[in-house]
Amino acid sequence: MKKALGWIVLILIIFYIGTNPGPASEIAQGIGDGIAEVFRNIGVFLRELSN
């Protein structure tokens, strides 16, 4: 059941990207920006920790 649910979610994501590429790209960019911010903050933390 879990595997089938995963495939259904993947198909729905692909369908959403295919039918609404503009908003989908904004969502992906937002996720990427969030991940980049996390890594920047980790870098700042480690730099401050070493001072």
Side-chain angles (χ1 to χ4, degrees), residues 26-51:
E26 291 172 6
I27 291 169
Q29 185 177 11
I31 291 170
D33 289 343
I35 292 170
E37 185 67 26
V38 167
F39 283 109
R40 261 188 243 112
N41 289 337
I42 290 171
V44 168
F45 171 76
L46 293 174
R47 186 179 65 233
E48 294 295 323
L49 191 62
S50 67
N51 288 334

Side-chain angles (χ1 to χ4, degrees), residues 1 15-16 22 25 33 35 46:
M1 182 67 184
F15 177 76
Y16 179 73
S25 68
D33 289 343
I35 292 170
L46 293 174

Side-chain angles (χ1 to χ4, degrees), residues 1-11:
M1 182 67 184
K2 220 177 198 183
K3 198 172 191 179
L5 186 61
W7 280 107
I8 291 170
V9 168
L10 181 63
I11 291 168

